[in-house]
Amino acid sequence: MAKKQLDEDLLTGGSVKSDKDKNAKKAEKKALKEEKIRKKNEAKRAKIKSEIDSLKSSKAEETDAKKIENIDRKIKTLSDKYTSVGKGVSMQVAPKTKKIIQSVVCIVIVLALLVAYVATGAVRKGFVSSLGLPAQYFTGMTVTNGEQKAKVKVSTYNYYFAVTYNNYMSQQEQYKQYNLDLKDVGLDVDFDKKLSGQTYEDEDGNKMSWAEHMKDEVVSSIEDTYTYYLEAVKANGGKDPEITEEQQQQIDDTLDQYRKTAHSYGYTLSAYLVQAMGKGVTETVFRTESTRQYIADNYKNELSEANSEKEYTDDDYNKYKDEHKDELESVDIKVFECNNEDDAKAFAGDLKKDASNFSELSVKYSSDDFDKASFDYDGFSTIYGATRSALQSKAFAIATPAAHEHKEGEEHSEDEEESYPGLDWLFSTDRKAGDVKQYSTTVVYVISPVSISDRKTVNVRHILIQPEIDSDEENASIKENATDAQWKAAYKKAQNVLKEWKSGKATEESFKNLVEKNTDDTASAETGGLYENVAPGQMVDSFSYWCFEDNRKAGDTAIVKSEFGYHIMYFIGKTDKEVWKYTAQQALASDDSTKATEKLEDSYKAKINWFGSRYFEKDVDIDS
């Protein structure tokens, strides 16, 4: 068979047609797509952040009020885009949900990379490598804390080298698509040339060859994985913990597909993998290291969950409250961001003392079709439990820093102290319910003045039904792209799903059973649409408003619209923990977890074996 056809089949997985192969290929395709989306979102956020930073710098040097107003609007638009990239309805998730999401991400990344290794490896290396017996037997590194110890073979190093190498290539391709400066993102390297002949510069200005940098990254990756792998083994009585059935199936299916493809060309699976990933990377190495990566990630997630659920004394909580008063204080408000200051003045002038026409005015002064169709629902203009940081993240004009000048030659710094007169007014103890403020393009009505609220967190389930938009762009905005007809179709579907639930047992369990086959929120699909310990401001505004409306009770349901689609809501109930105390618990637990993690990781050290390192992958057989 011609080499060209052989290489093409390596990239596509060959021509085996069994159902199992098709399912494996489907899973791989899905994993690759999700990994592509993840990296694309990273690039999008990097580009948007760069634009925001540039606008903020321009604003700091601008003195014209109208131009500043225009810059603020642009910043708000970009901030909205930044927070929506790659996200569902939530800005944060509960610890249990985090664990599940992390596990899913682990599966997706590992599976996607396994495919990428063979595909890009075959191209970058060609069919010229040998099995590399020294790599299978020689020790390349040791990872130990003095008590636990692992001897890492050269073949294992080469496996991780392939992981790192292909990860970098994939990231670089994504950044190129978004016209990002590769030097700015630390990927200014030509993979068609030897790494040893190219210079890498870190954030501190230290220079080394790209081959040295790649080696440092590989060693760090091995050290990190084996730290948690060894700890997992220790915690399991000296034996390897079992990985999940799904994780095992991912590995088995992938290797099974590669085996059949390799055999169709007269190769063993191990020979096939060596060509792609480097000397010594046989089937055994591939399976062992994939499994150990899962074990390490699973144990890391278990530690994270255990730490996140740690409880503290009332003295700990009260001390945190005293030290973080400004961060915990919140207000309940109605707020609208107008297109210009004249509209904001007119809006404030038309506003009734009881704000009963706030939603009506929001519709009137909206220029966006989505907003005009949505602001008649109070949830689009009401924010319960709004903190200073939450309002700043939404980029309301009232939450922007005051204009200030710099001395000649002085540059704007992210560390410099800035004043926020709008927020100072809103969070003043002088505020009372019913106060109105027009600040630049923002109109705000105070429902409840500043306090550290005793509001409790809540547990809720939801099913997200998104309009089916006609857009080829991955992660395209529903709000910007969905037509009226598509919104109506989504609403009808949401009504039918809710009707199906009501016509059945109408229990939380039956609601949970409807989630997986109906929801478009992939983050909560596997948990039955569950979000636990939801706090005001954590979810998208209309979602949050419904959760914290007065008189909300267990078992309540509704269909709520947001910029992401229609949410079929099921209210489980309030928890027994105040929002501020939950925030304190999570912050204290996070701090303790970080310290524990740093202590654990610092206790393990990786040491390179000089002789074994002679067989490390380095320049991937590329001729200069």
Side-chain angles (χ1 to χ4, degrees), residues 295-579:
I295 290 172
D297 283 343
N298 292 345
Y299 186 71
K300 188 182 293 187
N301 289 337
E302 288 171 12
L303 290 179
S304 177
E305 181 177 10
N307 286 322
S308 71
E309 295 176 350
K310 184 178 178 180
E311 285 294 349
Y312 298 85
T313 66
D314 287 340
D315 287 343
D316 291 329
Y317 289 131
N318 289 327
K319 181 181 179 181
Y320 184 90
K321 181 166 68 171
D322 291 340
E323 294 175 349
H324 298 82
K325 180 182 176 183
D326 289 347
E327 298 167 30
L328 297 174
E329 286 182 333
S330 65
V331 293
D332 295 344
I333 59 175
K334 289 181 180 290
V335 62
F336 184 78
E337 190 69 25
C338 294
N339 289 324
N340 54 67
E341 195 166 322
D342 290 338
D343 280 357
K345 289 178 180 178
F347 188 116
D350 292 342
L351 188 62
K352 293 180 180 178
K353 289 185 177 180
D354 59 4
S356 58
N357 64 335
F358 200 98
S359 293
E360 177 186 328
L361 290 173
S362 297
V363 173
K364 177 181 177 180
Y365 286 96
S366 291
S367 59
D368 184 279
D369 290 339
F370 174 85
D371 291 343
K372 283 185 177 295
S374 306
F375 265 103
D376 56 348
Y377 173 56
D378 277 347
F380 276 86
S381 56
T382 303
I383 303 179
Y384 291 132
T387 61
R388 284 175 175 263
S389 60
L391 293 174
Q392 286 174 324
S393 69
K394 294 177 183 295
F396 291 117
I398 197 170
T400 55
H404 60 284
E405 296 181 357
H406 291 101
K407 296 178 182 179
E408 186 175 351
E410 183 182 28
E411 295 184 358
H412 176 75
S413 169
E414 291 291 332
D415 298 327
E416 66 185 62
E417 294 241 355
E418 295 181 301
S419 62
Y420 293 82
L423 292 180
D424 290 343
W425 177 88
L426 183 57
F427 284 83
S428 167
T429 54
D430 294 334
R431 294 286 65 74
K432 59 183 182 298
D435 282 354
V436 175
K437 180 74 170 179
Q438 176 263 316
Y439 184 94
S440 183
T441 53
T442 303
V443 179
V444 63
Y445 174 89
V446 179
I447 300 173
S448 297
V450 64
S451 69
I452 296 181
S453 174
D454 60 0
R455 187 179 274 125
K456 305 287 181 64
T457 62
V458 303
N459 296 332
V460 63
R461 294 185 187 275
H462 87 126
I463 300 171
L464 176 63
I465 307 296
Q466 293 185 315
E468 296 183 5
I469 59 177
D470 302 322
S471 175
D472 294 329
E473 182 182 351
E474 291 173 353
N475 207 50
S477 167
I478 298 294
K479 177 179 175 180
E480 295 176 2
N481 291 278
T483 65
D484 288 342
Q486 289 164 343
W487 275 107
K488 288 178 181 177
Y491 183 62
K492 184 176 181 180
K493 180 179 178 180
Q495 286 180 308
N496 289 337
V497 173
L498 184 57
K499 183 179 179 181
E500 179 183 349
W501 175 78
K502 288 181 175 179
S503 64
K505 294 182 179 180
T507 62
E508 181 184 348
E509 186 64 24
S510 63
F511 187 94
K512 176 183 175 181
N513 293 337
L514 284 174
V515 173
E516 189 170 355
K517 68 177 183 179
N518 290 295
T519 193
D520 289 317
D521 178 18
T522 56
S524 67
E526 293 190 7
T527 62
L530 178 65
Y531 282 99
E532 296 177 295
N533 285 305
V534 176
Q538 177 180 333
M539 315 301 277
V540 67
D541 289 343
S542 53
F543 187 116
S544 184
Y545 174 79
W546 185 87
C547 290
F548 293 98
E549 275 187 300
D550 292 339
N551 303 317
R552 178 68 58 232
K553 61 184 184 298
D556 282 355
T557 58
I559 298 175
V560 174
K561 184 181 182 182
S562 82
E563 63 206 72
F564 298 104
Y566 286 103
H567 308 265
I568 308 170
M569 309 292 296
Y570 181 92
F571 191 73
I572 299 173
K574 298 178 182 178
T575 72
D576 59 357
K577 182 163 286 186
E578 293 91 342
V579 169

Side-chain angles (χ1 to χ4, degrees), residues 146-396:
E147 178 185 356
Q148 306 296 115
K149 183 177 181 179
K151 291 184 177 181
V152 179
K153 301 296 184 185
V154 172
S155 55
T156 296
Y157 177 94
N158 291 343
Y159 170 91
Y160 280 88
F161 183 91
V163 174
T164 307
Y165 188 98
N166 287 292
N167 245 339
Y168 270 133
M169 283 208 306
S170 179
Q171 288 176 4
Q172 188 184 76
E173 286 305 310
Q174 295 298 325
Y175 292 145
K176 284 179 179 177
Q177 288 182 23
Y178 288 92
N179 299 315
L180 294 176
D181 189 325
L182 295 179
K183 190 172 183 178
D184 289 344
V185 294
L187 270 173
D188 185 20
V189 58
D190 187 344
F191 288 106
D192 291 328
K193 296 179 180 179
K194 282 192 174 184
L195 300 178
S196 55
Q198 301 179 69
T199 302
Y200 173 83
E201 183 174 340
D202 65 20
E203 294 179 353
D204 297 323
N206 299 315
K207 294 182 179 181
M208 64 189 78
S209 72
W210 253 94
E212 292 173 314
H213 170 63
M214 191 76 77
K215 182 178 180 180
D216 288 345
E217 290 292 293
V218 174
V219 170
S220 177
S221 180
I222 293 172
E223 184 180 65
D224 181 71
T225 297
Y226 271 77
T227 292
Y228 288 96
Y229 165 69
L230 289 171
E231 285 295 302
V233 171
K234 178 183 175 182
N236 196 47
K239 297 180 180 179
D240 279 17
E242 296 289 332
I243 61 177
T244 68
E245 290 183 7
E246 185 176 6
Q247 290 169 342
Q248 187 61 61
Q249 193 64 50
Q250 294 281 10
I251 296 173
D252 290 343
D253 287 350
T254 302
L255 286 174
D256 187 53
Q257 181 180 354
Y258 293 158
R259 181 181 294 106
K260 290 180 179 178
T261 304
H263 288 176
S264 70
Y265 297 123
Y267 284 91
T268 64
L269 174 59
S270 292
Y272 181 88
L273 292 173
V274 163
Q275 310 309 322
M277 298 188 67
K279 292 182 281 293
V281 186
T282 62
E283 175 187 356
T284 300
V285 172
F286 191 98
R287 184 181 292 279
T288 298
E289 296 310 320
S290 297
T291 301
R292 288 179 177 178
Q293 284 179 298
Y294 274 127
I295 290 172
D297 283 343
N298 292 345
Y299 186 71
K300 188 182 293 187
N301 289 337
E302 288 171 12
L303 290 179
S304 177
E305 181 177 10
N307 286 322
S308 71
E309 295 176 350
K310 184 178 178 180
E311 285 294 349
Y312 298 85
T313 66
D314 287 340
D315 287 343
D316 291 329
Y317 289 131
N318 289 327
K319 181 181 179 181
Y320 184 90
K321 181 166 68 171
D322 291 340
E323 294 175 349
H324 298 82
K325 180 182 176 183
D326 289 347
E327 298 167 30
L328 297 174
E329 286 182 333
S330 65
V331 293
D332 295 344
I333 59 175
K334 289 181 180 290
V335 62
F336 184 78
E337 190 69 25
C338 294
N339 289 324
N340 54 67
E341 195 166 322
D342 290 338
D343 280 357
K345 289 178 180 178
F347 188 116
D350 292 342
L351 188 62
K352 293 180 180 178
K353 289 185 177 180
D354 59 4
S356 58
N357 64 335
F358 200 98
S359 293
E360 177 186 328
L361 290 173
S362 297
V363 173
K364 177 181 177 180
Y365 286 96
S366 291
S367 59
D368 184 279
D369 290 339
F370 174 85
D371 291 343
K372 283 185 177 295
S374 306
F375 265 103
D376 56 348
Y377 173 56
D378 277 347
F380 276 86
S381 56
T382 303
I383 303 179
Y384 291 132
T387 61
R388 284 175 175 263
S389 60
L391 293 174
Q392 286 174 324
S393 69
K394 294 177 183 295
F396 291 117

Side-chain angles (χ1 to χ4, degrees), residues 583-603:
T583 301
Q585 185 271 329
Q586 291 288 284
L588 291 169
S590 176
D591 187 50
D592 285 349
S593 178
T594 298
K595 291 176 181 177
T597 297
E598 290 176 349
K599 183 178 180 180
L600 173 62
E601 292 178 356
D602 287 344
S603 71

